[in-house]
Amino acid sequence: MIAPDWFREDRLPHIYCTGCGNGTVLNCTLAAVEEMGWKRNETAFISGIGCSSRAPGYILADSLHTTHGRALAFATGVKMARPDLNVVVFTGDGDLAAIGGNHFIHACRRNVDMTVVCMNNQIYGMTGGQGSPTTPPGAFSTTTPYGSSEPAFDLAELAVAAGANYVARWTSYHVKELTKAITTGMQTPGFAFIEVRTQCPTNFGRHNKLRRVPDMIEYLRSHAMLVSKYDRLAREGAGVPEGTFSVGELVRRRRPVMGAKQ
Amino acid sequence: MSRVEFMQGNTACAEGALAAGCRFFGGYPITPSTEIAETMARRLPKVGGVFISMEDELASIAAVIGAAWTGARAMTATSGPGFSLMMENIGYAAMTETPCVIVNVQRGGPSTGQPTRAAQGDMLQCRFGSHGDYSTIALTPNSVQEMFDLTVKAFNLADRFRVPTFLMSDEVVGHMRERVTIPDSVEVVPRRPLAEGSLPYEAGDDGVPGFAPFGSGRSVHVTGLTHNERGYPDTTDPAAHDRLVRRLVTKVESARRDIADYEVTNPDAETVFVTYGPPSRTVEQVMRDRQDDSIGHLRLKVVWPFPEFALSEFPNAKVFLMPELNMGQMVREVQRHVDQPVIPIPKIGGELHTPAELVRVLEAHR
């Protein structure tokens, strides 16, 4: 699907586990970059720490693989100093919403012109499957052995509330929709946030009766509901089935932007 | 034609940064460093630069490192608690060889301590504060003029060695007002560009790799993980880690004679004060008052990498006296390089030593 000239073939073999959804997200993001017609010398990829954050290392472009949670702060420096560069950030739920939560809301508030793709597998994958701020209530992980007792963050809603100009959510099942959403995010001036619910059979699935990759992808597909229907059900007071989440475009607006191309 | 002005130390620091070509400042307000941010906020947009008030100090140094990778000269300024928060990303800057300047206008600690009082309590933190092995450069101004001059020098050293460089100031120098001579232009030593055909982390004889800014088409991968000369992670090979970290330390430590900057007064003296920062002003007062050639003074303007050879500028020294605004941080570094007794004259609480306090110790040890 993607042109091989964006791929660092000398980095193979990659470190992702069998069945990981991150490759799909990477593929969709690069397809969006291709669609935009961006060049290598005008695009920078930035990430924090975690499985998601290894993605820039496989892309043939300038890239910063930074410290845990801080990717958006590094990216803000890059974009504000060189507004002509296209900035794409890869992050994960732990990286973005736990340690990086403060940077996340402030990057949304500033509406810095960048595209942020969050691979939300609802677990700390790289450290071996500990509960994260998006681990669903009741879900099992190595640090929630009796089922998670905390409510989970809705990252897309958080981005909308904090002021991002473009917010969408899809899953690793919805590759065409996801690619289109990332492209639209790249076209929209300001902070574009695309949350991708993605499968982690190795560290999430095996504790939660979703060990097989097709089972996890089917779970994501069957629990995703188009945002228009989701909102209509909520409006009518009908409610949505347990574990269902909205997908689609949550917001596209024109708030003032920082670091836009002159 | 230079111009003469009367200004505050923190303002002089900002002016020095602007003269050196700093075009990015990311910071978070903290006493007693805030006037640096305020000056940069006012001045940077007028010279085509960017000022941004980040959400905290971790974000500030992160944004500075990001800006530095676009090729910009970038700086942040803070004080003790903020400096502590920056430590992880300072280690990242050391590991990724990102040139940047961090100004620490020191105040009393630990913790929030004395926000409006002077101290020199972060001298070891700026050398050893982040985890793992690395080396840094730290400069210590003792006047408003040096707030200007050493800020310029800090940028040049940061770019030349591709290392985070510290201006270790303090509340006294940051807030005092003095006459400053501001030259029309200053010497600027730029980063060496990455040579055609070189790998991004392939270092020459001086241990410093060439630099390819983002957007230059070289597709540089920058990671805080142990990496090879190509910049790719290589975290389990003992030889790769040894090669990288040893080079990071050696590139600075092997250039210590070149980086060193100090003043020697009365090299034949038997009793020698060793100072950095504003305690040197009290020593200068004592020497003016007494007109005594038997008192020597070594004043360090660069403390890291530590210039131990400067101590041998005093061949007749029988005792070294070290007034510091801490419980004795740099005194250990001096002690490990000399056979003579080294007497600490620690002072905490926020005020400079008085001349009388130094004279008391002087009389007791000669």
Side-chain angles (χ1 to χ4, degrees), chain B residues 186-208:
Chain B
V186 298
E187 188 196 9
V188 170
V189 184
R191 289 167 216 176
R192 188 173 63 235
L194 179 61
E196 213 51 55
S198 284
L199 297 175
Y201 281 93
E202 192 178 325
D205 292 341
D206 62 354
V208 185

Side-chain angles (χ1 to χ4, degrees), chain A residues 136-139 144 147-151:
Chain A
T144 56
S148 176
S149 57
E150 296 180 10

Side-chain angles (χ1 to χ4, degrees), chain B residues 236-278:
Chain B
T236 52
D237 177 9
H241 186 78
D242 184 284
R243 197 162 58 240
L244 172 61
V245 174
R246 205 171 286 279
R247 179 174 66 72
L248 295 181
V249 173
T250 307
K251 71 173 178 179
V252 176
E253 295 297 323
S254 67
R256 56 176 60 218
R257 277 184 189 275
D258 208 1
I259 299 169
D261 191 353
Y262 56 84
E263 285 175 0
V264 171
T265 312
N266 294 340
D268 297 330
E270 294 185 349
T271 310
V272 179
F273 281 103
V274 181
T275 66
Y276 57 92

Side-chain angles (χ1 to χ4, degrees), chain B residues 108-232:
Chain B
S111 191
T112 26
Q114 295 175 292
T116 60
R117 292 299 183 133
Q120 295 180 307
D122 309 344
M123 300 311 298
L124 297 179
Q125 195 185 11
C126 79
R127 173 63 185 83
F128 299 105
S130 196
H131 51 283
D133 292 299
Y134 60 102
S135 191
T136 56
I137 300 174
L139 296 81
T140 44
N142 84 338
S143 66
V144 176
Q145 182 69 54
E146 283 190 357
M147 284 295 270
F148 182 93
D149 296 340
L150 296 189
T151 300
V152 175
K153 191 181 172 95
F155 276 101
N156 287 338
L157 290 169
D159 274 3
R160 188 172 148 207
F161 292 97
R162 283 188 61 179
V163 67
T165 299
F166 304 100
L167 188 78
M168 297 300 287
S169 181
D170 59 86
E171 192 275 336
V172 166
V173 176
H175 281 162
M176 71 160 69
R177 286 175 163 79
E178 285 183 317
R179 212 172 102 110
V180 186
T181 304
I182 296 186
D184 278 346
S185 65
V186 298
E187 188 196 9
V188 170
V189 184
R191 289 167 216 176
R192 188 173 63 235
L194 179 61
E196 213 51 55
S198 284
L199 297 175
Y201 281 93
E202 192 178 325
D205 292 341
D206 62 354
V208 185
F211 186 85
F214 280 14
S216 60
R218 299 296 291 272
S219 296
V220 176
H221 181 57
V222 182
T223 177
L225 291 169
T226 295
H227 45 273
N228 60 22
E229 283 74 12
R230 196 173 285 279
Y232 294 175

Side-chain angles (χ1 to χ4, degrees), chain A residues 40 62-63 65 67 103 110, chain B residues 55 89 215 219-223:
Chain A
R40 205 193 310 292
D62 292 320
S63 48
H65 175 226
T67 48
H103 306 308
R110 293 191 179 101
Chain B
E55 53 272 17
N89 282 342
S219 296
V220 176
H221 181 57
V222 182
T223 177

Side-chain angles (χ1 to χ4, degrees), chain A residues 8 10-11 40-46 49 54 56-68 70 72-82 85 99 102-104 106-107 109-110 112 258, chain B residues 23-24 50-56 58-72 88-89 92 96 98 212-225 230-233 235:
Chain A
R8 284 191 196 266
D10 58 351
R11 284 298 314 283
R40 205 193 310 292
N41 62 356
E42 55 191 34
T43 308
F45 294 88
I46 295 158
I49 294 293
R54 290 301 192 97
Y58 301 114
I59 301 173
L60 192 56
D62 292 320
S63 48
L64 270 182
H65 175 226
T66 68
T67 48
H68 194 32
R70 319 294 169 201
L72 294 177
F74 281 87
T76 299
V78 171
K79 185 64 184 178
M80 295 306 291
R82 275 289 300 271
L85 289 178
I99 188 167
N102 200 30
H103 306 308
F104 181 36
H106 287 281
R109 170 181 68 84
R110 293 191 179 101
V112 186
M258 277 176 67
Chain B
R23 291 297 176 267
F24 186 92
V50 173
F51 169 88
I52 185 163
S53 182
M54 295 299 288
E55 53 272 17
D56 58 29
L58 297 88
S60 302
I61 180 70
V64 162
I65 294 169
W69 271 99
T70 71
E88 186 195 7
N89 282 342
Y92 180 87
T96 56
T98 308
F214 280 14
S216 60
R218 299 296 291 272
S219 296
V220 176
H221 181 57
V222 182
T223 177
L225 291 169
R230 196 173 285 279
Y232 294 175
T235 58

